[in-house]
Amino acid sequence: MGVVCRLILSLLLTSQVLALSNEVKGLLHKAKHALEQEQMARAFDALSHAYDLSSEQKPDQVEVLCALGYFYFRLSSPGDSEGCYKKALNLDPYHFNSLMGLGDVLFTRTEYLNARHYYELAKKYHPQRFETYSAIASTFYERAQVSQAFHYYQLALRRNPSDTLSLNNLGILWYERQNLKEAQKTWELGLRGNPDSLSLHNNLGILFRDAGQPERARVHFLKALRIRGEDPAVLSNY
C-alpha cells in the first residue's frame, strides 16, 4: 500500500488541442493506441512522423513534443522526457500537460520540491484542473507533511468528488493514522465511481485482513486478482 502519483497521459486529445492538423492528430491517436498495447516501436514511429510534420505549426509542435515527453517517460528515459517537456514549455509556457509531465519526471526522481514548482505553475495557469491539487498533495506526503497532504487531497476532491486517485491516497492517509473507519469509507466511496480499481480493492483487502475480517478481505483480494492477477502486490497479500 502506498500513495500513487498521477502520471499525465500527454497523448489524450482534449479540447485544448482542437487546433491540431488532422494528420498530426491522427498520428497522436495511433501512438496513444500503440502505447496502450505496449507496442513501443509503433508508438515511436507514429510520434517521429508527427514530429517531422509538426515543425511548421506551433500548436502541433507543442503537443508532439509533450507526447514524446510522455513516451520517453514510459520508456524509463527521464532525461529525454525532461528535454521534450522543456522544449514544449519553451514554445508554450502555459501548456498544462507539459507542466504536469515535467513535474512527474522530477517526482519520480524524488525531487519533490522541484516537482511541486511545476505542479504549482499548472495550478496557477489552470485553477480549474483538480489534478494539480492531487499532485501537490503527493509531494507533501513524500516529505512527511501530512496535514498539507490532507488539505490538498480534499481540495482536489472538492473539484472532482469521484477522483479515484485522490480517494485512494486520502484513504491511505486515514489508514496510516489508524482511522480505519474513515479509510474504509473513503475507499468504498472510490469504488462507487470506479468498481474496477485494483488499488482500492487491494487496500480494502488489507484493511479487512488486518481488522480480523478474513472473509471480507478475501472478497476484495479476489476482485483485485480478477482485475490484474499477475500483480505482485496483490499476489503477496492474498
Side-chain angles (χ1 to χ4, degrees):
M1 186 187 299
V3 162
V4 181
C5 172
R6 186 191 311 276
L7 303 178
I8 296 299
L9 177 54
S10 304
L11 296 172
L12 288 176
L13 297 176
T14 60
S15 58
Q16 66 177 336
V17 295
L18 290 178
L20 291 181
S21 66
N22 287 334
E23 196 167 7
V24 168
K25 191 181 294 186
L27 287 165
L28 289 179
H29 273 301
K30 186 182 292 186
K32 177 178 179 289
H33 179 73
L35 275 176
E36 289 170 346
Q37 304 300 314
E38 299 292 333
Q39 297 173 338
M40 307 306 281
R42 281 187 57 211
F44 184 71
D45 286 345
L47 291 172
S48 296
H49 190 190
Y51 183 78
D52 291 339
L53 292 173
S54 70
S55 59
E56 299 300 322
Q57 295 193 45
K58 180 178 173 181
D60 285 8
Q61 197 169 18
V62 171
E63 290 298 329
V64 172
L65 282 167
C66 184
L68 279 165
Y70 179 76
F71 169 81
Y72 283 120
F73 188 90
R74 284 279 302 273
L75 208 61
S76 299
S77 183
D80 290 326
S81 179
E82 180 179 5
C84 289
Y85 284 132
K86 284 184 173 179
K87 285 180 182 178
L89 289 170
N90 283 338
L91 294 170
D92 181 0
Y94 307 104
H95 190 252
F96 177 77
N97 279 341
S98 295
L99 289 167
M100 295 295 288
L102 185 51
D104 289 344
V105 171
L106 296 167
F107 186 96
T108 57
R109 286 181 181 164
T110 70
E111 297 179 30
Y112 302 121
L113 288 177
N114 290 331
R116 191 186 307 158
H117 168 74
Y118 287 99
Y119 296 149
E120 289 279 8
L121 285 177
K123 179 170 74 71
K124 177 181 177 181
Y125 301 140
H126 306 272
Q128 77 283 6
R129 296 295 295 261
F130 69 92
E131 301 96 327
T132 62
Y133 296 88
S134 179
I136 291 167
S138 296
T139 67
F140 280 120
Y141 175 84
E142 294 296 340
R143 290 177 57 82
Q145 296 172 285
V146 177
S147 295
Q148 293 95 323
F150 262 106
H151 176 65
Y152 273 91
Y153 282 130
Q154 288 164 341
L155 288 176
L157 289 166
R158 285 182 200 169
R159 288 157 176 79
N160 183 1
S162 61
D163 177 40
T164 302
L165 185 141
S166 294
L167 288 165
N168 178 79
N169 292 353
L170 184 60
I172 289 171
L173 297 187
W174 285 122
Y175 184 86
E176 290 178 348
R177 285 192 172 186
Q178 304 297 310
N179 192 329
L180 302 189
K181 182 178 179 180
E182 282 298 326
Q184 178 184 341
K185 175 182 172 183
T186 303
W187 289 331
E188 288 178 342
L189 180 60
L191 284 177
R192 290 181 203 168
N194 186 2
D196 293 327
S197 170
L198 174 74
S199 58
L200 290 172
H201 281 299
N202 197 44
N203 290 345
L204 280 164
I206 293 170
L207 183 149
F208 288 126
R209 182 195 64 193
D210 294 348
Q213 301 180 54
E215 288 305 313
R216 296 185 74 179
R218 185 172 182 272
V219 168
H220 288 286
F221 285 140
L222 283 174
K223 287 181 179 178
L225 285 169
R226 291 191 194 106
I227 295 164
R228 195 186 305 158
E230 75 281 4
D231 191 281
V234 178
L235 290 170
S236 66
N237 288 323
Y238 184 61

